[in-house]
Amino acid sequence: MVRTRRIAAAVLAAALVPATAALFTSSQASAQTSEEIQAEIDARHADLEKVIEDYNAKREELDDANALIAEIQEQLPALETAGLAAQDRMAEIASTAYTGGDFAMVNSVLAGDPSDFADRLMYLSNLSDAENQALQDSLAQIEELETRQAELEALQESADEILGEIEEQQQEIEDEIDSLEDEYADAYAEENPEPDWGDYSGDSAVVAFAYDQLGDDYVYGASGPDEWDCSGLTQGAWGAAGVSLSHNTAMQWDETARISRDELQPGDLIFYNDLGHVAIYIGDGQIIHAPNSTTVVKIADMDVMSIDGYGRP
């Protein structure tokens, strides 16, 4: 019973931390740099973690409450049966102890409010100790039944409401994070406009294809049409020229002839980092490659990283 009341009180008195206290509106982020917005995001994540942990605590309380509801529901049928049996025993005890006109008095006593029944038990002083104990046990069973029924109703009424509030607050948190990330993306794009790569005027179909992919996203394992990893880009570029390459840097190394740095021509491949990366040479000491997931397909200096060698399909 102590656990029941503790959980019921915790659930009924749960004061959820208002999400609005931690909310950060997009208007506040206007005119901020991406670094400033990132700092706000980091700070809000720290605040929101505390709020979410508070919500998690409420969920734990509700889990306990739900378990208790199931327990009460399981016990209610037996208690209800015990309550009915108690009423029958009370009538039997009274009818045995009293006869005639006295029985009418007993009925009047029993019909009163159970809360002050003890005061009226004085009228039944001639009941035997055993009968009196049976009567008290019956009243205790009825009281337990009524208490558990009240607790069950309170828990059921409050559980859905609190869960709904939790879900609403968490949705507000998720919306805030989305808004801040949108603000960051907009600010970063404004601060880092996509370079004007110009138009390719050469005659290499491989380089022409690679130029058309500038600005596309890097995605591990992707081979187009709008997302690439390094070997997927070189495979696609040479595929546009009618040459089939595997989608793997080490395999492309085996599928190409070794050439020297001085022999490089637009379209040739440059291999890097123990065959962990490959790029397309476009001339003038530059390459087009898909570097990693933090950036996009772009032009870079050919010596951007440690070179393993050069290949021509």
Side-chain angles (χ1 to χ4, degrees):
M1 295 299 294
V2 173
R3 176 171 171 268
T4 299
R5 295 193 179 98
R6 176 181 64 80
I7 296 174
V11 172
L12 290 170
L16 296 177
V17 177
T20 52
L23 291 180
F24 177 72
T25 61
S26 59
S27 62
Q28 289 175 279
S30 61
Q32 288 185 305
T33 67
S34 61
E35 284 189 7
E36 291 171 334
I37 296 173
Q38 184 62 59
E40 292 287 352
I41 290 174
D42 293 342
R44 293 305 167 189
H45 268 296
D47 293 338
L48 293 175
E49 281 180 353
K50 296 176 183 177
V51 175
I52 290 171
E53 285 307 309
D54 184 66
Y55 294 163
N56 289 341
K58 296 298 184 293
R59 284 199 186 93
E60 290 292 335
E61 292 172 2
L62 289 175
D63 287 343
D64 286 345
N66 288 331
L68 192 58
I69 287 173
E71 176 187 329
I72 292 172
Q73 288 175 329
E74 183 178 350
Q75 294 182 10
L76 275 176
L79 289 172
E80 289 170 349
T81 300
L84 292 174
Q87 292 177 357
D88 292 340
R89 285 200 302 275
M90 289 165 62
E92 182 181 354
I93 290 169
S95 64
T96 301
Y98 294 91
T99 60
D102 289 338
F103 187 69
M105 177 272 291
V106 172
N107 281 337
S108 176
V109 171
L110 292 175
D113 186 350
S115 64
D116 61 1
F117 191 77
D119 294 335
R120 288 174 284 116
L121 283 179
M122 296 298 296
Y123 291 102
L124 305 179
S125 58
N126 62 332
L127 290 175
S128 68
D129 290 342
E131 290 170 334
N132 189 49
Q133 185 61 51
L135 186 58
Q136 292 178 8
D137 290 345
S138 297
L139 291 174
Q141 287 179 315
I142 293 172
E143 180 183 3
E144 182 179 5
L145 172 62
E146 293 172 344
T147 299
R148 283 182 174 266
Q149 283 176 321
E151 290 167 348
L152 175 58
E153 292 170 359
L155 290 172
Q156 287 176 324
E157 289 174 1
S158 61
D160 288 343
E161 179 181 352
I162 291 178
L163 281 173
E165 290 178 6
I166 289 174
E167 291 172 358
E168 181 179 345
Q169 300 289 354
Q170 287 187 326
Q171 185 61 55
E172 291 182 16
I173 291 172
E174 291 172 0
D175 290 344
E176 178 197 0
I177 292 174
D178 289 344
S179 178
L180 285 170
E181 289 178 344
D182 288 343
E183 292 285 350
Y184 175 85
D186 291 342
Y188 185 86
E190 185 175 344
E191 296 163 1
N192 301 274
E194 186 175 314
D196 182 4
W197 305 110
D199 297 323
Y200 177 64
S201 57
D203 56 6
S204 169
V206 175
V207 176
F209 180 91
Y211 254 84
D212 288 341
Q213 316 317 312
L214 288 170
D216 283 357
D217 290 332
Y218 175 99
V219 175
Y220 177 77
S223 57
D226 300 313
E227 298 174 338
W228 310 89
D229 65 6
C230 66
S231 60
L233 178 63
T234 54
Q235 179 192 50
W238 272 97
V243 176
S244 177
L245 292 177
S246 300
H247 187 176
N248 176 268
T249 302
M251 290 180 181
Q252 289 182 9
W253 172 269
D254 292 335
E255 294 165 350
T256 56
R258 301 283 72 76
I259 58 174
S260 69
R261 184 181 182 110
D262 292 338
E263 294 174 310
L264 279 172
Q265 297 178 7
D268 288 338
L269 303 183
I270 302 180
F271 296 87
Y272 299 89
N273 290 346
D274 295 326
L275 302 183
H277 188 67
V278 62
I280 301 166
Y281 182 70
I282 63 173
D284 298 326
Q286 293 184 310
I287 57 171
I288 290 179
H289 69 149
N292 54 61
S293 59
T294 65
T295 184
V296 296
V297 176
K298 62 183 181 180
I299 295 175
D301 185 271
M302 65 180 290
D303 292 308
V304 67
M305 59 187 82
S306 175
I307 296 176
D308 298 324
Y310 315 91
R312 179 173 297 158

